Amino acid sequence: MGKDLPAVKTPNHVAIIMDGNGRWAKERGLPRLEGHRRGGEAIRRAMETCREFGIRYLTVFAFSVENWKRPKDEIDGLMKLLVRSINHELPDLIRRKVRLRTIGCIDDLPSKTLASLRKAIDATAGFDEWNLIMALNYGSRSEVARAARQYAEAAIRGDEDTASCDWTRFSRYLDTADIPDPDLLIRTSGETRLSNFLLLQCAYAEMFFSPVFWPDFSREHFVEAIESFRSRERRYGLTGEQVRGQPSIMQF
Ligand code: IPE
Ligand code: IPE
Ligand code: MG
């Protein structure tokens, strides 16, 4: 960590749109699935960097609701890869006390994928310091629609009062209910769009777009993103003078 920078400048939650696995493989004349396999290794590296910098929450976009439209072979391969990686990584997650969580509709995943996920989620549920959150069958719009349905049902039951609906109350129904908002959003592979990822939670996230394909995303690339984050001034609608004059005002 840079000695001259205050600790508060390190993000608490980094969310990553891990993009470019297919192009990484294509460039090498390899099957797309090999890109996804190497992408799994990049997640492990990113987790190590998070630990090194005290980043307690890492969310990775692993499969979107739109990704079901891909060729069946790729989807099947990805789901199998997920089972293998989770089973392989579980002892290490436990050893390092990392809690595995998910956002998205995991119930719609193939039963074997779901079973290994549930096993890992249960086995790590007692940890709270380090969190790996996998976005699987995730899309912001469907998450919000589901949350709205649940909120409406709660209101019908009398558990919610619609007149006092605000962000704090509504956001409890999102998949990210007890997860702090991302401070830093990284997307790899040179694309500069959000692709339906954490649209509301990233309201005030700092964005970092890297040209590197995800399987090549190294510790150094991650550090570059963290350094960029540290150099920014987050203002949340205030003026720079307000922020610099009274940092405690920054409670958001
Ligand atoms: C991201 O890499 C991983 C998933 C979407 C599962 P891609 O598979 O989208 O790679 P590109 O964008 O085709 O290179
Ligand atoms: C976003 O990447 C989804 C994941 C990284 C899992 P995509 O490759 O699916 O996004 P688009 O289609 O290029 O926007
Ligand atoms: Mg892509």
Side-chain angles (χ1 to χ4, degrees), residues 42-100:
I43 300 180
R44 171 184 264 271
R45 274 201 301 278
M47 280 172 58
E48 282 165 14
T49 311
C50 283
R51 181 175 291 263
E52 180 187 346
F53 283 83
I55 297 162
R56 291 184 50 210
Y57 295 84
L58 173 67
T59 299
V60 291
F61 202 4
F63 195 82
S64 75
V65 292
E66 289 82 13
N67 288 150
W68 293 112
K69 295 178 205 145
R70 291 195 177 193
K72 187 175 181 302
D73 280 1
E74 181 168 349
I75 297 172
D76 291 349
L78 265 168
M79 293 300 152
K80 281 193 190 130
L81 190 61
L82 257 170
V83 174
R84 238 180 298 143
S85 324
I86 292 163
N87 293 345
H88 183 258
E89 294 297 328
L90 182 56
D92 215 47
L93 290 173
I94 294 172
R95 191 172 60 80
R96 290 170 171 264
K97 296 190 169 23
V98 177
R99 181 176 175 190
L100 179 76

Side-chain angles (χ1 to χ4, degrees), residues 233-250:
E233 182 174 74
R234 301 177 85 188
R235 289 193 283 273
Y236 300 98
L238 307 182
T239 67
E241 287 70 24
Q242 283 177 298
V243 170
R244 288 187 291 275
Q246 204 187 328
S248 60
I249 207 168
M250 296 289 284

Side-chain angles (χ1 to χ4, degrees), residues 143 147 151 165-178 181 201:
E143 177 196 30
Y151 184 92
C165 180
D166 59 12
W167 175 247
T168 305
R169 284 176 176 274
F170 179 72
S171 61
R172 288 186 198 134
Y173 292 84
L174 294 171
D175 296 351
T176 50
D178 54 352
D181 284 345
Q201 295 86 341

Side-chain angles (χ1 to χ4, degrees), residues 17-25 32 36 61-64 67 70 74 78 187 189 191 193 213-215:
I17 302 176
M18 313 181 289
D19 200 10
N21 294 352
R23 279 164 285 166
W24 180 93
R32 290 180 62 86
H36 295 312
F61 202 4
F63 195 82
S64 75
N67 288 150
R70 291 195 177 193
E74 181 168 349
L78 265 168
R187 182 170 188 150
S189 88
E191 309 299 349
R193 55 178 170 266
F213 292 144
W214 174 247

